[in-house]
Amino acid sequence: FSVNTLFPNNPFLSTLVPVSDGLCHVAVTVSVFLTIAITVERSYAVCSPFTYQTRVVERGHWWILSSYIMPVMLIAIMLNIPKLLNLAKMDFVKNIFRHQRGNYIKFGIISQLFHPLSTTCLLPIIVLCFLNYRIFIGSKRTISTSTNNDISMAKIMMTIVTVFILLSIPKVILALFEVSTIPD
């Protein structure tokens, strides 16, 4: 079932669907990477509070924020280039792989294994578990010097990451199933 089924002769919608689908893939990647970036920053703040405060004073919040957002956006777009090319169904992509259909399918399988399976499912879960363990251990050490605001922020971030991990489990299962059912 697709938009083209409902509106078969609408050129605007037939153009909009691949664009919105591609933007959706980029947005999911950005959200996963920003969740990791927030956890990295929080881990840094909890495990090295003096170094963290010095960095905030020297560079400022906006510089730190942009040092996370810009690379995340760039990497998310770069990782989704194969998906975007596939969704765009551009003539030059078809011409490149016209005589090498087997290579095109192998490239699709490899890119599916690498991204999104490993980059937005498996590796983020491992990194988030490790960083949250560090945050948990670090917050136990600094609990006497922490303010209520710091403790509340740590609880909120732990909750966000826990929800992310729980909601990613079905995504990991489906991605593994999808990759395992690809014919040779």
Side-chain angles (χ1 to χ4, degrees):
F1 186 75
S2 70
V3 174
N4 291 334
T5 306
L6 293 174
F7 306 102
N9 297 323
N10 191 328
F12 175 72
L13 289 178
S14 64
T15 304
L16 183 65
V17 169
V19 171
S20 64
D21 198 19
L23 289 176
C24 179
H25 287 287
V26 172
V28 167
T29 306
V30 166
S31 71
V32 169
F33 289 173
L34 282 179
T35 302
I36 293 171
I38 290 168
T39 307
V40 166
E41 189 69 12
R42 198 70 202 136
S43 172
Y44 191 48
V46 170
C47 296
S48 303
F50 300 116
T51 310
Y52 174 77
Q53 286 299 328
T54 304
R55 190 180 81 167
V56 169
V57 169
E58 288 177 357
R59 301 219 170 120
H61 291 289
W62 289 108
W63 185 89
I64 294 170
L65 184 64
S66 64
S67 70
Y68 284 115
I69 290 177
M70 298 308 285
V72 161
M73 294 291 290
L74 184 65
I75 292 169
I77 291 170
M78 288 173 42
L79 284 173
N80 282 293
I81 286 174
K83 183 72 78 176
L84 295 171
L85 289 175
N86 191 30
L87 291 171
K89 296 180 175 64
M90 296 178 180
D91 288 334
F92 78 89
V93 175
K94 290 179 186 175
N95 289 334
I96 290 173
F97 293 107
R98 183 175 12 154
H99 301 294
Q100 300 170 345
R101 182 99 174 121
N103 289 341
Y104 181 71
I105 292 172
K106 286 178 186 176
F107 176 75
I109 292 169
I110 291 169
S111 68
Q112 186 73 12
L113 282 171
F114 179 69
H115 177 75
L117 179 60
S118 63
T119 57
T120 61
C121 293
L122 300 176
L123 290 176
I125 289 174
I126 294 167
V127 169
L128 290 172
C129 288
F130 172 74
L131 289 174
N132 275 304
Y133 178 74
R134 284 191 63 204
I135 291 170
F136 180 74
I137 297 300
S139 65
K140 290 281 188 191
R141 279 188 279 132
T142 61
I143 198 84
S144 60
T145 61
S146 299
T147 65
N148 286 339
N149 190 27
D150 289 339
I151 294 170
S152 297
M153 182 61 81
K155 287 179 182 177
I156 290 170
M157 290 310 302
M158 294 285 272
T159 303
I160 289 172
V161 171
T162 302
V163 167
F164 173 81
I165 290 171
L166 290 175
L167 293 176
S168 293
I169 291 172
K171 181 179 166 184
V172 170
I173 292 169
L174 288 173
L176 288 171
F177 175 75
E178 181 181 352
V179 168
S180 69
T181 59
I182 295 173
D184 291 334

